[in-house]
């Protein structure tokens, strides 16, 4: 056996011993950390007793031991009670309401104060404070000024999960983001995303803003494996204490003094003193003051003033910008450095104060146009609020309503291509707007054109119109308007509309003439184009009506709507033709009944696709072609093949359906063929059925189409029906349903053949407004 080979059992035992050693060391390290935290809490309690009793550290330690012995508590528990009694923070409030939480909260505080970063603080919370609440994980989110969130510390989550959530961009709706936006505590039980959250996660969470001095520095998120006691005052007080503790860890420490700065007794002590060294604790305020003084608009630098409990009470005015000195705004609201915003400006409580508070708390900038502001001389201003460190910069710009309306008028004139003018009748001065110079094509420095010289700039053909306009305004002194063509210096022409009116003084004397020009070139050419289009449409409508009239006359000449019955070789024959109700829907349906030279009888119906003159002329071609071809004595299948070639090559590009039958009176046999058409219906002894659907493609679809031929033996009193689809088509029913209804109506029985055809036309109820052809043949 090789010397390096270790038996499996021995290797397993070594790994187990190594794991046990690591676990023991981990427990010892955790115990050492807890012991260190307990010692820190005891030392803090000693300091409290030294200050209160005026004794030394040794006497303070002896006093703690005595108190522990008398109360039956551990020294750590007594130390926590001593600190809670002396402190007035949220931890002491929570400890008084829940004595069992005193030691975990103070131990967590001690560990946090000794921790080097927020990550260590999160671990100390999970180790000391959260087990008493039943929580299993914690996340500390630092808030950015843009509304983003950064994971500053976590415990109870894996490293991979933490890396995935290290930064949450602004606008992403998460649990912590909702608490930050609303600045309130939220108990979550929904499906909002967050670190460690899974779709089927049954656990509960709470998110609470971490606030210091009125500023929201971040959000504390605590997780439970199941739903916690949401809204429980006991739990909420402890969470508030933990949030306050974490907020202090997120506060940035002051910058170190610059090299060479005086830090001794002779150094500057006031943060607002001009002698404060650059880079000192309040150098950011000096830079902000310089920025406020450099702005062209009024500005105030504000800093939060806290109450005794650390909550926001008001905002102190740290600086008044130079733009405000000597202005009526400062006289109406005497701001001074060190004064309070609500004292000098009580109206701010109506809305401005809340805006400043939110910007100070969240760091999100605020901007608003046309905001009501009593600080403004006009009562309305464009307001900007931004946070710079501990300070808030308030900047506003008075909103001049007259200037705004003038700007709106200028934009309206530009968009409407309108230019105004005024001619002073006393001084002779002529005033133009900038847009009028553009309409005339003149540079702004050129002298305006007086109204009386308008004829010189107008097209000669419009001289009469311009003269009538000038006579009405200048001579009769009445309002007038006119449209004319203006000749511009660049050689171009514009269509303008001018309106003008005289202005009279109190004594009735003419003071001025005011008016406006408007460029209506686009409107003029649009009207010209519309007039041409109307003429073209009217011409097209006349042509279309004439074509439809001719098609209808042609259709009626070939196929009049027949009534009555004819007899031929033992057949009683009746036909019906119903044209479309609308003239522009004149179609290509046809029917034909003719006795051939052989004595047989040709029966046919067909339908050319489309409407109008093309469909009507196509119908004439195919109907006459079928008549001529049938004279050869060929059978129906051969006739359909020939008619298909006529459709493809002789009648132009079109398609059609047709069915034709040749009846032999001697044998009473009907031979028939179809080309994409519905088969005939045979009525016999009150029963009805369609003839078999034999092969036969559409006419005009294929040049080499093949057609089958069917044969049926007819008997006395049999009735044969041939029809086009206009008889049965409906938009709301399929064709099979319409055919079944046709059979049901046809088999009801009718006294005569004419009555049968009339019933079919009335009761089949087609709704396509198409032509309809119907042939009824009855053997006698």
């Amino acid at each position: 056996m090789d010397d390096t080979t270790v038996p499996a059992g021995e290797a397993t035992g070594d790994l187990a011993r190594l794991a046990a050693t690591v676990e023991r060391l981990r427990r010892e390290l955790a115990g050492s950390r807890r012991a260190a935290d307990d010692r820190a809490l005891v030392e803090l309690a000693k300091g409290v007793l030294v200050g209160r009793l005026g004794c030394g550290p040794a006497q303070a330690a002896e006093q703690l031991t005595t108190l522990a012995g008398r109360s039956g508590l551990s020294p750590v528990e007594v130390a926590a009670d001593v600190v809670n009694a002396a402190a007035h923070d949220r931890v002491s409030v929570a400890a008084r309401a829940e004595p069992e939480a005193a030691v975990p909260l103070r131990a967590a505080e001690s560990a946090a104060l000794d921790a080097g970063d927020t990550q260590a603080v999160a671990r100390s919370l999970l180790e000391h404070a959260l087990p008493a609440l039943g929580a299993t994980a914690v996340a500390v989110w630092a808030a950015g000024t843009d509304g983003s969130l950064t994971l500053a510390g976590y415990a109870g989550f894996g490293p991979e999960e933490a890396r995935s959530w290290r930064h949450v961009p602004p606008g992403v709706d998460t649990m912590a983001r909702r608490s930050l936006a609303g600045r309130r505590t939220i108990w979550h039980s929904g499906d909002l995303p967050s670190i460690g959250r899974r779709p089927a996660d049954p656990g509960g969470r709470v998110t609470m803003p971490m606030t210091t001095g009125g500023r929201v520095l971040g959000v504390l998120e605590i997780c439970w494996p199941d739903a916690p006691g949401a809204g429980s005052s006991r739990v909420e007080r402890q969470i508030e204490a933990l949030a306050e503790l974490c907020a202090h860890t997120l506060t940035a420490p002051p910058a170190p003094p610059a090299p060479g700065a005086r830090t001794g007794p002779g150094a500057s002590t006031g943060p607002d003193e001009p002698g404060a060294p650059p880079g000192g604790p309040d150098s950011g305020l000096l830079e902000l003051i310089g920025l406020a003084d450099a702005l062209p608009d009024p500005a105030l630098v504000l800093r939060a003033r806290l109450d005794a409990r650390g909550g926001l009470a008001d905002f102190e005015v740290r600086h008044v910008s130079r733009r405000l000195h000597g202005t009526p705004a400062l006289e109406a609201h005497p701001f001074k450095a060190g004064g309070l915003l609500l004292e000098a400006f009580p109206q701010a409580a109506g809305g401005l104060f809340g805006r400043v508070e939110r910007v100070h708390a969240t760091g999100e900038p605020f901007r608003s146009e046309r905001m009501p502001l009593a600080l403004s001389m006009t009562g309305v201003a464009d307001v900007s609020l931004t946070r710079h460190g501990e300070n808030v910069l308030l900047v506003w710009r008075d909103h001049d309503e007259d200037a705004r309306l003038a700007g709106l008028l200028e934009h309206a004139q530009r968009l409407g291509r309108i230019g105004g003018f005024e001619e002073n009748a006393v001084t002779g001065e002529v005033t133009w707007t900038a847009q009028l110079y553009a309409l005339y094509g003149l540079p702004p420095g050129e002298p305006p054109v007086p109204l009386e010289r308008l004829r010189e700039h107008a097209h000669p053909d419009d001289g009469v119109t311009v003269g009538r306009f000038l006579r009405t305004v200048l001579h009769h002194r009445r309002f007038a308007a006119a449209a004319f063509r203006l000749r511009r210096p660049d050689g171009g022409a514009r269509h303008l509309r001018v309106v003008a009116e005289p202005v009279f003084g109190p004594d009735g004397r003419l003071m001025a003439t005011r008016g406006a020009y408007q460029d209506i070139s686009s409107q003029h050419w649009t009207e010209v184009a519309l007039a041409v289009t109307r003429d073209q449409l009217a011409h097209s409508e006349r042509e279309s009506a004439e074509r439809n009239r001719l098609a209808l006359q042609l259709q009626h000449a070939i196929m009049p709507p027949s009534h009555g019955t004819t007899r031929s070789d033992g057949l009683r024959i009746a036909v019906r033709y119903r044209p479309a109700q609308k003239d522009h829907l004149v179609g290509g349906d046809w029917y034909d009944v003719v006795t051939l030279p052989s004595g047989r009888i040709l029966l046919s119906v067909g339908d050319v696709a489309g409407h109008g003159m093309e469909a009507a002329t196509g119908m004439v071609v195919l109907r006459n072609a079928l008549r001529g071809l049938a004279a050869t004595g060929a059978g129906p299948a051969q006739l359909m093949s020939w008619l298909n070639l006529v459709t493809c090559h002789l009648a132009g590009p079109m398609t059609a359906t047709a069915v034709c039958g040749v009846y032999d009176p001697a044998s009473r046999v009907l031979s028939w063929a179809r080309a994409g058409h519905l088969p005939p219906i045979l009525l016999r002894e009150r029963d009805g059925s369609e003839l078999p659907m034999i092969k036969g493609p559409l006419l005009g679809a294929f040049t080499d189409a093949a057609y089958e031929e069917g044969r049926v033996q007819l008997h006395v009193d049999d009735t044969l029906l041939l029809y086009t689809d206009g008889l049965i088509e409906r938009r709301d029913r399929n064709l099979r349903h319409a055919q079944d209804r046709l059979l049901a109506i046809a088999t009801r029985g009718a006294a005569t053949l004419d009555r049968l055809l009339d019933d079919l036309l009335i009761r089949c109820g087609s709704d396509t407004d198409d032509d309809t052809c119907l042939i009824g043949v009855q053997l006698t």
Side-chain angles (χ1 to χ4, degrees):
M1 178 181 296
D2 188 75
D3 293 340
T4 61
T5 303
V6 180
E10 185 177 343
T12 303
D14 290 342
L15 290 176
R17 285 190 292 272
L18 180 60
T21 301
V22 171
E23 178 62 22
R24 178 177 55 80
L25 293 175
R26 186 190 67 79
R27 288 195 302 269
E28 290 178 358
L29 178 60
S32 299
R33 284 202 303 266
R34 284 194 294 271
D37 296 337
D38 292 344
R39 285 195 300 272
L41 180 58
V42 170
E43 293 300 322
L44 181 60
K46 289 180 183 179
V48 172
L49 292 178
V50 167
R52 286 202 167 187
L53 300 179
C55 61
Q59 288 82 5
E62 183 178 350
Q63 184 68 24
L64 279 178
T65 303
T66 302
L67 291 174
R70 290 177 180 177
S71 61
L73 301 176
S74 66
V76 176
E77 293 174 322
V78 173
D81 289 340
V82 170
V83 174
N84 289 333
H88 299 284
D89 55 1
R90 293 185 183 276
V91 174
S92 60
V93 173
R96 283 192 291 269
E98 189 71 22
E100 292 80 3
V103 173
L105 290 178
R106 288 301 179 188
E109 180 183 41
S110 299
L113 294 175
D114 191 48
D117 55 16
T118 309
Q119 177 61 32
V121 172
R123 285 197 297 265
S124 68
L125 293 184
L126 182 62
E127 181 176 350
H128 294 283
L130 297 187
L133 298 176
T136 55
V138 62
V140 182
W141 303 95
T145 57
D146 58 350
S148 63
L149 291 169
T150 302
L151 187 62
Y154 68 94
F157 303 107
E160 291 296 328
E161 186 74 20
R163 276 193 290 271
S164 301
W165 285 87
R166 64 182 180 277
H167 180 73
V168 180
V172 179
D173 191 15
T174 65
M175 296 180 179
R177 172 64 184 160
R178 286 203 176 177
S179 192
L180 177 67
R183 290 189 290 165
R184 61 189 178 91
T185 302
I186 301 178
W187 295 87
H188 300 274
S189 59
D191 295 330
L192 281 175
S194 190
I195 180 172
R197 180 74 179 179
R198 298 295 179 265
D201 187 359
R205 300 194 178 204
V206 63
T207 53
M208 177 175 291
M210 298 183 297
T211 305
T212 296
R215 293 178 55 193
V216 179
L217 303 179
V219 178
L220 176 65
E221 182 173 351
I222 299 177
C223 311
W224 282 263
D226 50 11
S232 167
S233 58
R234 178 184 67 86
V235 175
E236 286 196 8
R237 278 192 293 268
Q238 296 185 47
I239 295 175
E240 289 174 358
L242 297 178
E244 183 181 50
L245 174 61
C246 292
H248 288 294
T249 67
L250 291 177
T251 305
R262 297 187 331 179
T263 57
S268 242
T269 57
D272 298 333
E273 292 182 11
D282 222 16
S283 61
L285 175 62
L286 298 179
E287 293 178 0
L288 185 58
I289 290 174
L291 172 63
D293 287 337
L295 293 174
D297 299 314
L300 296 176
V301 177
L302 307 173
R303 175 172 289 187
R305 175 72 68 86
L306 306 181
D307 56 20
R309 300 183 60 184
L312 179 65
D314 203 340
F315 283 94
E316 178 185 348
V317 179
R318 303 301 301 274
H319 181 71
V320 179
S321 70
R322 294 175 181 175
R323 180 70 175 79
L324 272 171
H325 292 306
T327 63
L330 189 60
E331 294 176 2
H333 307 286
F335 292 114
K336 61 180 180 180
L340 298 180
L341 179 64
L342 291 179
E343 289 182 359
F345 181 40
Q347 298 93 329
L352 178 63
F353 187 87
R355 300 293 186 184
V356 177
E357 179 189 10
R358 182 172 182 85
V359 172
H360 174 261
T362 64
E364 298 179 10
F366 170 79
R367 292 177 180 84
S368 176
E369 295 182 358
R370 295 181 52 77
M371 176 179 172
L373 186 69
L375 278 171
S376 169
M377 296 305 300
T378 61
V380 178
D382 298 337
V383 179
S384 172
L385 290 167
T386 52
R387 190 179 77 184
H388 304 266
E390 298 288 337
N391 305 293
V392 175
L393 180 63
L394 166 63
V395 184
W396 69 92
R397 175 173 296 177
D398 293 343
H399 204 90
D400 190 343
E401 189 68 15
D402 293 337
R404 187 182 73 88
L405 292 177
L408 288 176
L409 180 59
E410 182 179 353
H411 288 303
Q413 290 180 349
R414 177 180 57 82
L415 294 174
R417 301 186 66 80
I418 299 173
F421 67 90
E422 180 180 270
E423 297 184 4
N424 192 311
V426 179
T427 64
E429 181 184 4
V430 180
T431 304
W432 276 12
T433 63
Q435 186 62 33
L436 188 50
Y437 282 98
L439 294 181
Y440 262 79
L442 296 174
E446 288 289 319
V449 178
L451 198 60
E452 60 185 11
R453 292 177 50 197
L454 178 61
R455 193 193 301 266
E456 302 174 11
H457 296 267
H459 194 279
D461 294 344
D462 296 331
V464 175
T465 301
V466 173
R468 186 182 301 112
F469 165 76
L470 294 176
R471 188 166 52 254
T472 303
V473 176
L474 301 180
H475 178 66
H476 298 294
R477 296 182 178 180
R478 296 198 306 266
F479 170 85
F484 69 100
R485 284 166 289 180
L486 175 72
R487 296 185 301 176
R488 292 160 51 103
D490 57 6
R494 305 294 295 177
H495 290 263
L496 299 184
R497 174 178 171 82
V498 58
V499 295
E501 65 176 1
V503 180
F504 301 98
D507 56 355
R509 188 176 62 163
L510 179 67
M511 301 300 295
T513 301
R514 295 173 183 164
Y517 292 84
Q518 182 178 18
D519 189 345
I520 58 172
S521 300
S522 300
Q523 177 182 349
H524 170 77
W525 292 118
T526 300
E527 291 176 353
V528 171
L530 287 175
V532 173
T533 302
R534 283 195 294 266
D535 292 342
Q536 292 176 346
L537 287 174
H539 179 68
S540 299
E541 289 177 356
R542 288 193 297 270
E543 285 189 342
S544 178
E546 183 65 18
R547 288 167 60 87
N548 290 335
R549 186 183 63 82
L550 293 175
L552 191 60
Q553 288 179 350
L554 176 63
Q555 193 178 55
H556 287 177
I558 296 175
M559 295 178 301
S562 302
H563 293 281
T565 305
T566 61
R567 293 179 177 272
S568 176
D569 295 323
L571 296 178
R572 183 182 294 115
I573 303 172
V575 297
R576 295 289 186 273
Y577 172 68
R578 181 178 63 193
Q581 295 181 8
K582 298 178 181 179
D583 292 345
H584 69 279
L585 295 178
V586 173
D589 289 23
W590 88 81
Y591 67 87
D592 201 7
V593 179
V594 61
T595 302
L596 301 175
S598 61
R600 296 186 295 175
I601 299 174
L602 174 67
L603 307 170
S604 66
V605 294
D607 184 4
V608 176
H611 298 87
M613 180 61 75
E614 292 78 7
T617 54
M619 171 269 292
V620 174
V621 170
L622 295 185
R623 180 175 182 269
N624 292 338
L626 184 58
R627 273 194 173 192
L629 293 171
T632 62
Q638 183 62 59
L639 293 178
M640 287 292 100
S641 296
W642 288 339
L643 193 61
N644 180 60
L645 294 176
V646 171
T647 307
C648 291
H649 300 292
L650 300 181
M654 67 177 182
T655 58
T657 65
V659 60
C660 76
V662 177
Y663 174 70
D664 186 359
S667 62
R668 293 184 175 178
V669 172
L670 175 73
S671 302
W672 69 286
R674 55 177 291 274
H677 204 88
L678 296 173
I681 290 178
L682 177 61
L683 302 178
R684 176 176 292 170
E685 297 179 356
R686 301 185 64 84
D687 289 332
S689 62
E690 294 179 344
L691 296 185
M693 185 73 76
I694 58 178
K695 179 181 178 182
L698 196 71
L699 295 176
F702 312 102
T703 56
D704 55 350
Y707 297 88
E708 294 182 1
E709 186 173 298
R711 297 170 64 86
V712 59
Q713 180 70 51
L714 300 181
H715 306 293
V716 176
D717 293 333
D718 284 354
T719 300
L720 195 67
L721 300 175
L722 292 82
Y723 61 96
T724 57
D725 55 9
L727 178 66
I728 62 173
E729 275 187 329
R730 289 190 62 85
R731 297 182 180 90
D732 57 347
R733 295 288 188 271
N734 58 36
L735 194 58
R736 182 66 263 169
H737 181 275
Q739 290 173 276
D740 293 341
R741 178 170 175 78
L742 173 62
L743 284 172
I745 296 173
T747 54
R748 289 179 183 177
T752 62
L753 183 60
D754 287 320
R755 181 71 61 81
L756 173 62
L757 299 191
D758 291 338
D759 286 348
L760 292 176
L761 287 176
I762 294 172
R763 299 180 182 278
C764 281
S766 64
D767 63 357
T768 58
D769 196 22
D770 199 1
D771 292 5
T772 300
C773 291
L774 178 61
I775 298 177
V777 179
Q778 190 176 55
L779 274 66
T780 59

